[in-house]
Amino acid sequence: MTQVVQGQSIEPGRLFINNTFVEASSGRRFETISPSTGEVITDVAEGGAEDIDAAVSAARAALSGKWGSMSASRRGELLYRVAALIEERAERLSILETLDQGKPITESSKVDVPLAARIVRYFAGWADKLHGETLPVSGSYHTYTLREPVGVVGQIIPWNFPILIACWKLAPALAAGNTVVLKPAEQTPLTALELAKIFADAGFPPGVVNVVTGDGPGAGASLVRHRGVDKIAFTGSTPVGQEIMRVSADTLKRVSLELGGKSPHIIFGDADVTSAVFGVINGIFYNKGEVCAAGSRVFVQRSVHGAFMEQLVAATQKRAPGDPFNPKTRLGPQVSEAQRERILGYVASGKAQGAKLVCGGEAASVDGKGYYVQPTVFDEVDNGMTIAQEEIFGPVVSVIPFDDAEDVVRQANASIYGLAAGIWTRDIKLAHRTARAVQAGTVWVNCYNVFDPAGPFGGVKMSGFGRDLGRAALEDYTETKTVWVDLS
Ligand code: ADP
Ligand code: MG
């Protein structure tokens, strides 16, 4: 039944295979819930192994059809149209994202949706600029490389930035000529289905982009096991990434994994404290802390610790949780009740292990509803505590005071993760030295959480490997073929 929510008509979701919306072959459906009210928004088809098989067959057929012989510049044109359609439908997309995910409308309408369009446009431009090389080999040969698509790519994405990550996975894969089966997170399926319509309306041939909604063990695991899938691109938790890599060994799929983080955010004593506090607040409370690059371990040099904490607490208290549809709200509800419980469990562990809770730490609600958590600050945290080692994925920051500028790098690197890091200092040498020394895929100096289509993003250590965005993303979506021609 079509419902009208927040002024948008929302139809029950179906799978998108071969440019057609279809029910799951099992007929099963699941509900998607609004985190700000706890109410069901609509229900969505629950894809399983048979549906994944149909989608992979469609994607395989599309590789040798019209898409396979399409010129690179034409692929780019289709992607440019997708970018324009995202912009045309931005209001609806932003509302659906906030409804399904809980992120403030200010973020979805000013960041997620416009950045998704920019990313698609950026990769559209790459489509006809990817090429091989001619190689000066020994002997009488004409030797060159071709950059070919990997083939059918399975993309499994999380619930924190649904449309943004869908676009940053789809666009480079398509620019390079692959076909895709996308599996959105079960908590947030709505914008991926809306995106499916956009790809069809832009003129993509059937089978090039397929969207199969469903859960991880069902649709997700079936995609990873499938023999017809050449590569899995995954963004999500580290344990699931490990499982995907293990299962992919059976069919030797290519994998790229963008996993968890526990990113250090280092404030040196000479930093501009007010700007650093702004950066730290943005680094941990943006998207309610449901950000893999969240700056969740804040190392503050003792000389500025007092001034820093005073401003941090004042700024945190201003981030009251609110209705995500209010344009003034900067902190929405967590994505689900389960996620809220997980976060509160970490708060309890922080208290039990002796960290000093200076504000927040409780569940909250707005008009008696929603999966909110107060913005939470722990001080005097030890880097060995659970709250400093495990990814919380919520609005909880751990402040770890330090004295020695050399030792802080050792502590920052004492983590299984290596996704991102932030550094605040006015000392240019210290900034670059520290940027080199921290183990991370991205380092922000005197800023945090800055993203651009041109800037590669991904991790080292147990934050995974492979890069999204930038030219680097394209590397992971092509195979190099070497051609030798005897000239003698
Ligand atoms: P979270 O625990 O925060 O939900 P996950 O890593 O479990 O994060 O989820 C990220 C994505 O991975 C989702 O789309 C989810 O459905 C999918 N997923 C979960 N488990 C598996 C699995 N075993 N195989 C493939 N995909 C999975
Ligand atoms: Mg939902």
Side-chain angles (χ1 to χ4, degrees), residues 39-334:
E39 287 159 15
V40 174
I41 306 166
T42 187
D43 58 15
V44 177
E46 186 182 325
E50 270 184 58
D51 308 295
I52 288 291
D53 193 42
V56 172
S57 301
R60 176 67 48 199
L63 274 180
S64 49
K66 203 168 150 194
W67 178 251
S69 53
M70 188 180 282
S71 69
S73 68
R74 177 79 186 137
R75 288 202 305 271
E77 280 167 27
L78 293 182
L79 283 169
Y80 280 121
R81 274 199 223 157
V82 168
L85 286 172
I86 291 172
E87 283 165 350
E88 241 172 62
R89 300 178 194 177
E91 190 186 351
R92 176 172 169 79
L93 289 167
S94 308
I95 291 172
L96 289 182
E97 197 75 318
T98 288
L99 191 60
D100 214 8
Q101 209 284 334
K103 64 177 66 210
I105 191 74
T106 304
E107 293 180 11
S108 51
S109 65
K110 295 209 166 115
V111 180
D112 299 60
V113 173
L115 183 55
R118 283 179 56 214
I119 288 168
V120 174
R121 191 166 283 126
Y122 170 85
F123 285 109
W126 268 115
D128 58 0
K129 293 164 196 74
L130 279 173
H131 50 74
E133 295 174 319
T134 311
L135 305 171
V137 298
S138 301
S140 185
Y141 299 97
H142 170 42
T143 305
Y144 60 94
T145 57
L146 294 171
R147 298 278 296 275
E148 299 184 335
V150 174
V152 175
V153 180
Q155 301 187 323
I156 301 175
I157 62 170
W159 44 257
N160 58 343
F161 290 95
I163 191 170
L164 186 60
I165 295 182
C167 286
W168 88 28
K169 294 271 191 235
L170 282 163
L174 298 170
N178 299 276
T179 60
V180 179
V181 178
L182 177 78
K183 209 295 281 173
E186 55 274 33
Q187 295 85 347
T188 54
L190 297 182
T191 47
L193 294 173
E194 207 61 21
L195 208 51
K197 275 183 220 157
I198 287 179
F199 277 94
D201 291 348
F204 275 77
V208 176
V209 175
N210 307 275
V211 179
V212 179
T213 46
D215 66 9
S222 306
L223 191 57
V224 178
R225 274 195 309 266
H226 203 291
R227 295 204 160 269
V229 174
D230 300 293
K231 173 190 165 83
I232 294 286
F234 174 74
T235 298
S237 63
T238 293
V240 173
Q242 289 173 292
E243 173 67 9
I244 286 175
M245 196 167 164
R246 268 192 292 270
V247 174
S248 294
D250 288 342
T251 48
L252 271 186
K253 284 184 179 61
R254 282 87 186 103
V255 287
S256 52
L257 305 172
E258 199 266 271
L259 308 175
K262 194 72 199 177
S263 299
H265 205 157
I266 305 172
I267 321 301
F268 287 106
D270 70 332
D272 174 348
V273 171
T274 302
S275 306
V277 167
F278 179 82
V280 165
I281 289 277
N282 170 44
I284 190 66
F285 298 138
Y286 190 81
N287 201 35
K288 340 127 211 183
E290 293 169 350
V291 179
C292 41
S296 50
R297 286 187 297 149
V298 176
F299 294 92
V300 183
Q301 202 150 18
R302 284 274 181 202
S303 54
V304 287
H305 179 251
F308 177 86
M309 286 309 295
E310 202 175 301
Q311 292 190 39
L312 179 68
V313 169
T316 300
Q317 280 159 350
K318 284 199 203 136
R319 285 262 167 159
D323 173 2
F325 282 102
N326 180 337
K328 293 210 174 89
T329 294
R330 292 293 176 277
L331 193 73
Q334 309 310 135

